Amino acid sequence: MGHAAGRRPGARHARRLRPQLTRMVWFRFLVAALIGLALGLWTTTRPGDPDLFPAGTGEAGVTVRLLDNGFHTDLAVPRSLLETGDDALARAAKGLAPGDWILVGWGDAVFYVDQSPIRDRLPDGARAFFRPGGNPSVVMLDPTRADPAAWPDASRRVTLRLSQAGARAMRARIKASLSVDAAGAPIVSARRKTDDAVFFRSRERFSIVRLCNHWTAEVLNAAGLSIRPYRSLTSGEVMRAARDAAALDLKPIRD
């Protein structure tokens, strides 16, 4: 009896430790699972469509350019592509100032339009990134007379030759972002006084989990390019995807 009684404190201690050890095991398992999930999402690739990109050898194709300003990407698209038809995107493009190329981008309805120094916009940037439920957004259409191939820094541009079908799919994805009024017309949200850019109301929401570069990546994916959607928060990642895609095109591109 004395020997058995002497073991009871240890047994009680073991029973107290057992739930703690179980919680620790489950905690470590949960942390490992979350890390695995994050790594999996980070490397996930949304495949392209070889029927859309690149253009076939016997096909003229449609040249578009991806431009990087250091943290944001725009697409330079031939005006003729956007003006095709009589839908909301065609009406928006036809109402712009002259220019054979149109820069296309997407972003927060306030932060994206404002061109004041970034240091003066930090509080608004925090609002744009972290507001619950996201923020209203806009599609920018900015006509330019000069071919963006003339940009002096070649490292900040990539030229892509889309198939005709890929160009139509890209156009359809841009159009799908536009919000329209009861008559089906695009809705102007803002105009910049410093240039010819016009910002049209978008159906989509901007937030820290869906930034401007995510949108550009989705447009490229619609045109047939492979992207890594969860890594596309930076302009550098979108440029990498475009360069990798351009390397698949065996037909020389005149830049």
Side-chain angles (χ1 to χ4, degrees):
M1 289 291 293
H3 179 69
R7 293 178 58 187
R8 286 176 184 168
R12 287 196 299 269
H13 181 65
R15 285 196 297 272
R16 287 196 299 269
L17 282 178
R18 193 173 297 120
Q20 297 177 21
L21 291 172
T22 301
R23 287 194 295 269
M24 185 177 298
V25 169
W26 276 107
F27 176 76
R28 290 178 177 176
F29 173 79
L30 179 60
V31 170
L34 290 175
I35 292 174
L37 176 62
L39 291 175
L41 292 175
W42 190 248
T43 57
T44 295
T45 298
R46 186 180 298 169
D49 186 342
D51 291 335
L52 298 180
F53 181 88
T57 304
E59 186 179 3
V62 177
T63 297
V64 300
R65 310 193 195 281
L66 179 67
L67 309 174
D68 176 16
N69 72 2
F71 63 91
H72 171 86
T73 47
D74 287 324
L75 284 161
V77 180
R79 187 184 193 119
S80 57
L81 175 65
L82 300 188
E83 289 186 343
T84 301
D86 189 36
D87 56 21
L89 182 55
R91 295 183 201 178
K94 291 173 183 177
L96 299 174
D100 291 335
W101 291 83
I102 295 177
L103 304 185
V104 182
W106 177 86
D108 179 76
V110 178
F111 187 80
Y112 185 32
V113 178
D114 191 355
Q115 287 188 305
S116 58
I118 191 69
R119 63 178 180 274
D120 298 335
R121 294 188 285 149
L122 291 179
D124 189 51
R127 183 273 312 159
F129 287 165
F130 301 114
R131 180 180 178 183
N135 303 272
S137 64
V138 290
V139 175
M140 180 196 76
L141 300 181
D142 184 8
T144 177
R145 297 174 185 269
D147 186 336
W151 272 34
D153 189 349
S155 68
R156 293 192 179 276
R157 69 175 187 267
V158 179
T159 299
L160 300 164
R161 190 173 61 92
L162 308 181
S163 67
Q164 295 290 333
R168 290 193 296 270
M170 168 182 278
R171 186 189 185 283
R173 177 62 185 84
I174 296 170
K175 181 178 75 71
S177 186
L178 290 175
S179 183
V180 297
D181 62 18
I187 303 169
V188 174
S189 178
R191 299 177 186 270
R192 274 205 302 242
K193 298 179 180 179
T194 54
D195 54 34
D196 294 323
V198 181
F199 298 84
F200 297 88
R201 190 181 303 172
S202 172
R203 302 175 185 272
E204 301 172 73
R205 306 288 289 183
F206 180 95
S207 72
I208 189 64
V209 296
R210 196 158 187 284
L211 303 175
C212 52
N213 295 313
H214 290 121
W215 185 87
T216 304
E218 290 175 7
V219 173
L220 291 173
N221 184 243
L225 279 69
S226 295
I227 63 163
R228 290 188 287 192
Y230 296 97
R231 291 185 63 167
S232 295
L233 70 165
T234 66
S235 61
E237 170 62 23
V238 183
M239 294 292 285
R240 182 209 61 78
R243 290 192 184 98
D244 287 351
L248 299 175
D249 193 348
L250 301 180
K251 182 178 179 179
I253 299 176
R254 185 175 298 173
D255 193 354

